Each structure stands twice: as C-alpha cells, then as structure tokens.
Amino acid sequence: MKLGCCYYPEHWPEELWVEDARRMADMGLSQARIGEFTWSRLEPEPGRYDWAWLDRAISILGDAGLSVILGTPTATPPKWLVDQMPDIVAVDADGRPRKYGSRRHYCFSHPDYRKECARIVTALAERYGNHPAVTGWQTDNEYGCHETTVSYSQAAADAFRKWLAAKYDDVDALNTAWGNVFWSMEYRSFDEVDPPNLTVTEPNPAHMLDYRRFASDEVVRFNRLQVDILRAHSPGRDIMHNFMGFVTDFDHHDVGADLDIASWDSYPLGFLEQYWFSEEDKLRYARQGHPDIAAFHHDLYRGCCKHGRWGVMEQQPGPVNWARWNPAPLPGMVHLWTLEAAAHGAEFCSYFRWRQVPFAQEQMHAGLLRPDGEIAPGGEEAVRAAEDLARLDLPETPAQAPVALLFSYEADWLFQTQPQGKDFRYVELVFEMYSALRQLGLNIDIVAPHARLDGYKMVIAPSLPVLSQELIDHLAALDLPVLFGPRSGSKTADFQIPPELGPGPLQKVLPVKVGRVESLRPGLEEVFEGSAVGRWKEDIETDLLPELSLESGDGALYQQGDFRYLAVWPSAKMAKQIFATMASEAELTVHNLPRDLRLRRAGGYVFACNYGPGNLSLAGLDGLPKNAEFLIGTSEMKPASSAVWQKPGEEAPQ
Ligand code: GAL
C-alpha cells in the first residue's frame, strides 16, 4: 500500500514546492493528489487557461518521485461561470438556490454546466493525460457532500420528466405504478409531474423514490461524462472518485462500475461525532473513532468497484474542523488507521492534507505539517506507518471474505422516504450487523444486492425491501446459511405492498408471512435474554416454530433449510448469537473479541487493532495463536495500537 497526501500547491508560495516534495518523499510518501478545486486558477477568465503553474507543480512532484493523482476541478465552478449561467446552481428542498461562496454549488442536471465540465476536463486531460508523473485521475470531489445530490432546480425538473417518460413510456403506467388515484394525484402527461418538494404534506412515496433513483442516475451520468473524456485522453491511468463516509444519496455501486478504483475519505472522529452513535460510544471512542467506522467503509467501497480495487483518498491526520466537537486522535491512531486500511486491502492511503492552511474555511483542520511547516503528530505517525508497512508483504488483491453482507442504496432511500418509525435507519441497521460480525473476528465483504455470491460461506441481508426472485433463486442454489432482516420483501419495486405481503418472494423458500408490523419508541422495548429489543417488530404467521423468541413469547427468528428471517431489529447480543450459529453451520471459526479489539486477516497475516482507551492483552485470548510471530507490535497492546503477526504455518505471500 502506497502512502500519499493531498496537496494544494496553489495555496503556498512556489518557493516551498521543491522542499515540500522532497519532504514528502523523505517521509515515505509516494503519491500526491492535487488540483481538485483549482478552476479559478486554471481558467481565470472564460477561455483563458493558465497551465504554467500546474506544469511546474506536477514536474516538481514527479521529479521527487511522487506519482500524481490529478483532480478535475468541477466541484468548484468559478464566479465568472456562475455569473454567466446563474441557473447552474442546485436548488434545495425548500426551493432556495444554493449560493456561490463555498463549493459544490452546481446542479448535476444542468445541461450547460455539463458542457462546461466536459470542456475543462477535456482541456486538462489533453494537457496532462500522457504526463509521466500523472498516474491517475479523481473525478470532481465527493459527490453528494453538503447535501447536493438531490436538487429541485428547473433543470432537474426537466430531466426528471424525461427520465420518467423513458421509464414508464405511458403516463397511465406511471399513475398505476405510483397509485395516483389516491388523493386525485393523477397526471395527464409527464410534463405535469414536478419534483416532490414543497407539497402540503408528504409527497407520494413512490414519487419520492423515483426522484431519488433519478437523482442517483444523474450523478452516474455526470461522472461518466468525465470518465469517458479521461479514458480517451489518458490511456493507462486509473480513474477514481473519492466517496464519503455514511453518505448514501446516490448508488455508489453504479458510479463505481465506471471507475478503476473506488476511493473514500476517512474521518473516523468526525463521523462518530456527527452520526447516530450513543453518547457513551461518542465519549469512549472520541479520540479513536468507533472500532468499525473505518473498516465498514473499507469493506463497502472495496465492493463498489471492478476487481475490488480501492484506496483511502483522504485520511484524517489530526483534529478536523467540521464536526460539532473536534478532538485530537489518541497518539497512535493515525498509525492504526493506516494499518487498518492496509489490512483491508487498500492500494493507497493518502492523508488530508499535507500542511494545515492558515486561511479560509479549513484553517482549523490539521495536516501532516503545522501551518508553520513543523511536523505535526499525525506526520510523525505517517512516517512510522511507512516504516512498518515496509516490513509486510501484502497480497496485491484482497482475498474474498467468507461473509457477504448485502448493501442496497435503494433500500436506504426507500426507508428514508418511509421510515415508519423515527429511528428505523437502514444504514445503522447494516452497521450494527456488520459490527456484530466483526466482533466475532470475521472478515466481511459488503456487496451490492445484485452481486454474484458464489464462493461465500454465509450471506446476510440486513434488510432488502425490494426483493427479487432472482436473488432468492441464486441463494437457494448456493447451499449456505442466509439471513434476511426485518422489512425484507416488504415492498414491490413500485413502492407498493406486495399482494402476498412480506417477506414477498422469500415465502417460497421460507413459509413465513408478515401479518402486521409496528415501530417502537425508545423505552417501548421487548427483551431477549436480558438485552432490549426495540424500534421494530413484526407479527409472523407461520406453522414453523421460532428459532429464537422474545421473553414475551413472540417469535423473533424463523428458519427453514438454509434461510432465516429475522422479524425484529435485533439487539447486539441477538445479532451476535445468530451470526455465531450461522458461522458454525458454515464451519467458520469465530472469536468472542473484547469490545475494543478487532481482527482482520490479510495474506498470511493477522492484524489486531485496539480501539479502546485501555491496555489489552492478546495472550490467552480465545483462539489466538500462542507462538505467533509479531512483525508489528506485541501481544500487550496499548490504547490506539495495532499489532500484526504471521498466522502460524502460513508464509506471507512472496
Ligand atoms: C472532505 C473534502 C476535503 C476537505 C476535507 C476536510 O470532505 O473532500 O476537500 O474538505 O473533507 O475534512
């Protein structure tokens, strides 16, 4: 795995560039991502390009032995462009145009903005496409950041109508699919259909879901435009995009299908602070991040791209500026995050950013260097990580994991549209199940619901509301334990309740029918072996006896043959118990890891990470080898430390 950094030569006097590049190389970095916000410097006035500074920056980095990933600047259309075409800006759900003055102020659907993007990307690709130092491209920057995927602009409305016409052909088909007879919502032509915002009460959920699908397709189309240009002008270079943490507003599997490498931006402390985690977790892991946040995304994005190629484009190096609170990572965490990425098969880990910038929005965001150029604690850990990684010989391609977890972006849009209970959050359900699997020490691949599942030993679908017969048939042919979580098969693709009720087509292989569902407010809970089961519960009609029941006597889990259906939002204890049973059916070894410890196998190595605030001893841990040969760390693990040992009897790959 290469180490790199995100560098902004345009922020610094040119006198610093040579020294910066030399210091990067001396620190063990071999890659720099540059350029993604530079439109106003590349084209200061319409049609007048200024390449000279970028020519020099790229040569300096290349001369120092760094490979360059060049970002296209389309996340930041310059002022003159916005003034020329004021309606390229996105419009929010309240109908307010997003203003110029930060970034991502464009609407994916605007045809003239797409032309402008094609023009600047072509110019850039023609100039640098064959430059020996340029080894890869990043399209735009973080699609979806700052809630910019779904836009309610005029351009989006026009494009949506075309999208609907292509999908339904006949407006009566749309009326039937959406159930528009309800509340007199029937349309006489596609031109009458508006985006689903500013309605008096909630819009038709089918209307909303189609709008989310449309918005996602617009991102795919926008990205593909750039990918096609870059491929044509820059043969042999890898094309990437940097995805985000817990952002699901577009289908990353669809965007990833056009990329060579899926990358993502890893800010574990910021994500812990900003998302749903309990106050207790937020305090316990404030300086480490929840033990599964980074790993979850590593495994998710590995599954988003051809051949499983992926990397970390931006790695948190110290405190960030954008969360509610921004603590400093514990000493050791930047090193640990780097090793965790390597353990999951990243091709590169690139720290954001090289030097903390003293001006503008991100002046409080740490870099590898302080604003005065002194090395920051994160920089020192990057050096240590580079030295440690040099001792490992990791396989080029990560091996298939034994466990597949199915992740559906569409499921998330569907449940956001119709949560039915305030805290039914799909991503959280998936994350909790992922975490339960990881606490058993299992390697996990997170894959698309349409992925081929041959070769896996067990498959978990935390919830798949729109369940296809093909998937059931595919799984039935594989002969492995499978679990479907609550609300699976509960909707048709048109967002209707299926005639046979939930779990839809699963009923053919597992005779259970969901007669009624209920959501439960916090505190309104059932009990499973001392643990609280809340949020969601279904009444199951079946002749089968439940495999697991709640203390009330109601069934929670049903099984027939290889298939299981879970009729509740499980407690962590229940999830672990179910997965341990399935793993033993699949003849997989599991560990009962302490709360703060995680393991990951890669090549002939086992990586262990201690995410806890206290010391941890690996000695005597259930199933861990006695005579392990440690290449990094020891069996006595300090907080925020990692250890790597060779699996006994297994050679590291040559
Ligand atoms: C990312 C973004 C970077 C920078 C960074 C700060 O979301 O891609 O440009 O803003 O966050 O943490």
Side-chain angles (χ1 to χ4, degrees):
M1 184 179 81
K2 282 179 158 189
L3 296 185
C5 68
C6 303
Y7 185 48
Y8 299 89
E10 69 278 15
H11 296 176
W12 306 101
E14 275 205 43
E15 305 85 82
L16 284 182
W17 296 358
V18 171
E19 177 67 0
D20 277 347
R22 186 193 59 74
R23 286 177 81 188
M24 287 175 202
D26 285 353
M27 283 170 67
L29 310 185
S30 56
Q31 168 180 305
R33 183 205 59 183
I34 64 170
E36 77 277 13
F37 301 122
T38 53
W39 201 332
S40 71
R41 287 294 169 103
L42 292 179
E43 193 183 8
E45 287 173 65
R48 181 170 70 78
Y49 297 110
D50 180 1
W51 305 117
W53 69 271
L54 188 55
D55 291 352
R56 290 193 294 278
I58 293 178
S59 318
I60 287 172
L61 293 166
D63 290 348
L66 296 145
S67 52
V68 173
I69 296 177
L70 193 49
T72 68
T74 52
T76 48
K79 181 75 168 107
W80 58 258
L81 180 50
V82 180
D83 286 347
Q84 227 172 49
M85 302 177 179
D87 61 349
I88 65 166
V89 297
V91 173
D92 74 10
D94 293 325
R96 293 172 307 193
R98 315 289 301 256
K99 283 184 69 178
Y100 178 81
S102 62
R103 61 179 173 182
R104 298 216 58 76
H105 39 280
Y106 69 84
C107 174
F108 285 100
S109 299
H110 200 287
D112 293 334
Y113 186 57
R114 280 204 304 272
K115 277 187 204 146
E116 285 296 296
C117 291
R119 187 178 57 75
I120 188 77
V121 173
T122 305
L124 203 58
E126 280 175 352
R127 183 144 193 113
Y128 301 108
N130 293 302
H131 195 296
V134 175
T135 58
W137 293 89
Q138 174 187 297
T139 54
D140 202 281
N141 189 77
E142 290 193 341
Y143 294 136
C145 186
H146 316 307
E147 295 181 14
T148 50
T149 300
V150 184
S151 163
Y152 297 89
S153 68
Q154 186 58 49
D158 295 342
F160 181 48
R161 291 172 189 136
K162 287 196 191 121
W163 185 93
L164 290 173
K167 175 170 179 182
Y168 293 102
D169 197 30
D170 173 356
V171 78
D172 289 338
L174 176 148
N175 283 323
T176 307
W178 290 8
N180 281 340
V181 60
F182 191 77
W183 287 353
S184 272
M185 293 185 294
E186 285 162 306
Y187 297 106
R188 292 162 305 155
S189 84
F190 291 111
D191 293 338
E192 290 183 344
V193 187
D194 277 332
N197 65 325
L198 297 172
T199 50
V200 172
T201 183
E202 60 180 309
N204 186 333
H207 185 174
M208 194 64 191
L209 182 60
D210 265 350
Y211 203 66
R212 301 296 302 268
R213 289 170 171 147
F214 153 76
S216 176
D217 286 354
E218 292 293 88
V219 179
V220 175
R221 179 161 73 129
F222 184 90
N223 183 65
R224 189 172 295 153
L225 176 72
Q226 300 201 11
V227 168
D228 289 346
I229 294 167
L230 295 170
R231 283 213 199 290
H233 294 285
S234 192
R237 270 63 173 184
D238 289 320
I239 302 178
M240 314 165 217
H241 179 73
N242 54 335
F243 296 128
M244 299 180 70
F246 295 127
V247 167
T248 53
D249 295 347
F250 59 91
D251 193 319
H252 293 49
H253 295 121
D254 289 349
V255 171
D258 290 327
L259 302 173
D260 298 307
I261 301 181
S263 75
W264 82 285
D265 297 344
S266 179
Y267 295 93
L269 304 194
F271 299 148
L272 175 73
E273 181 54 50
Q274 295 302 88
Y275 284 90
W276 64 80
F277 297 90
S278 67
E279 286 300 310
E280 199 220 336
D281 277 353
K282 285 188 186 197
L283 279 175
R284 184 178 185 84
Y285 299 119
R287 296 182 184 282
Q288 308 94 300
H290 184 285
D292 300 310
I293 286 183
F296 173 80
H297 292 93
H298 296 338
D299 289 340
L300 174 67
Y301 294 128
R302 199 176 54 247
C304 278
C305 181
K306 284 179 268 187
H307 321 300
R309 294 185 64 193
W310 74 283
V312 177
M313 192 66 89
E314 299 181 12
Q315 172 62 60
Q316 174 164 5
V320 299
N321 63 302
W322 45 262
R324 283 174 296 198
W325 287 277
N326 300 292
L330 280 186
M333 278 318 294
V334 173
H335 176 269
L336 182 154
W337 288 325
T338 310
L339 263 72
E340 184 85 92
H344 289 255
E347 290 191 20
F348 54 83
C349 179
S350 155
Y351 303 95
F352 181 94
R353 49 189 290 147
W354 169 242
R355 187 194 287 104
Q356 182 172 352
V357 69
F359 46 77
Q361 280 92 330
E362 292 180 350
Q363 53 185 265
M364 299 301 286
H365 192 298
L368 295 178
L369 306 187
R370 302 189 318 199
D372 64 2
E374 291 296 310
I375 191 157
E380 280 162 8
E381 290 189 32
V383 173
R384 186 156 67 84
E387 288 162 7
D388 280 347
L389 286 167
R391 284 192 246 150
L392 305 179
D393 185 8
L394 285 160
E396 243 175 50
T397 319
Q400 184 175 13
V403 182
L405 191 75
L406 306 192
F407 187 86
S408 160
Y409 286 91
E410 183 185 74
D412 194 38
W413 311 332
L414 189 149
F415 290 133
Q416 280 178 22
T417 303
Q418 191 179 72
Q420 181 67 7
K422 187 171 185 268
D423 48 9
F424 196 101
R425 289 182 291 261
Y426 171 75
V427 178
E428 190 176 342
L429 179 66
V430 179
F431 185 86
E432 285 189 0
M433 292 199 182
Y434 174 85
S435 183
L437 289 161
R438 221 162 101 84
Q439 287 172 53
L440 296 172
L442 292 162
N443 275 16
I444 303 144
D445 285 346
I446 303 180
V447 300
H450 49 77
R452 293 298 298 173
L453 297 165
D454 311 66
Y456 286 105
K457 300 277 192 297
M458 61 192 256
V459 172
I460 315 289
S463 183
L464 265 190
V466 182
L467 196 51
S468 70
Q469 187 60 50
E470 289 90 307
L471 176 60
I472 304 290
D473 294 344
H474 178 39
L475 288 165
L478 287 178
D479 187 22
L480 77 187
V482 176
L483 174 106
F484 282 97
R487 303 181 80 171
S488 291
S490 63
K491 299 290 165 181
T492 66
D494 292 330
F495 214 136
Q496 300 199 8
I497 296 171
E500 74 277 26
L501 306 187
L506 185 62
Q507 295 182 43
K508 296 213 180 99
V509 289
L510 177 58
V512 293
K513 190 180 287 295
V514 178
R516 185 175 71 169
V517 302
E518 55 174 342
S519 55
L520 307 171
R521 62 161 31 252
L524 189 60
E525 282 154 351
E526 301 251 356
V527 178
F528 171 76
E529 297 185 2
S531 65
V533 172
R535 297 195 210 209
W536 189 262
K537 184 168 170 264
E538 302 177 351
D539 290 349
I540 299 295
E541 296 167 5
T542 182
D543 291 334
L544 298 176
L545 288 177
E547 185 184 356
L548 294 179
S549 296
L550 303 170
E551 233 169 53
S552 61
D554 291 343
L557 180 73
Y558 294 86
Q559 183 211 359
Q560 178 167 284
D562 288 336
F563 288 89
R564 285 181 168 82
Y565 183 73
L566 180 59
V568 296
W569 182 297
S571 62
K573 176 173 189 172
M574 182 190 270
K576 272 205 312 199
Q577 189 170 316
I578 297 169
F579 298 151
T581 306
M582 292 172 69
S584 85
E585 289 168 5
E587 296 176 10
L588 296 170
T589 308
V590 296
H591 304 280
N592 196 10
L593 297 178
R595 176 177 180 184
D596 300 322
L597 179 67
R598 294 294 185 272
L599 299 181
R600 162 100 191 160
R601 289 164 189 77
Y605 306 112
V606 184
F607 288 69
C609 293
N610 177 9
Y611 283 91
N615 294 331
L616 247 172
S617 176
L618 297 173
L621 267 185
D622 138 55
L624 292 175
K626 298 229 166 8
N627 304 318
E629 188 200 325
F630 281 85
L631 293 136
I632 295 171
T634 71
S635 63
E636 299 308 308
M637 300 185 74
K638 295 207 161 55
S641 72
S642 30
V644 180
W645 66 90
Q646 211 139 338
K647 284 197 275 177
E650 286 190 43
E651 294 290 314
Q654 293 310 305

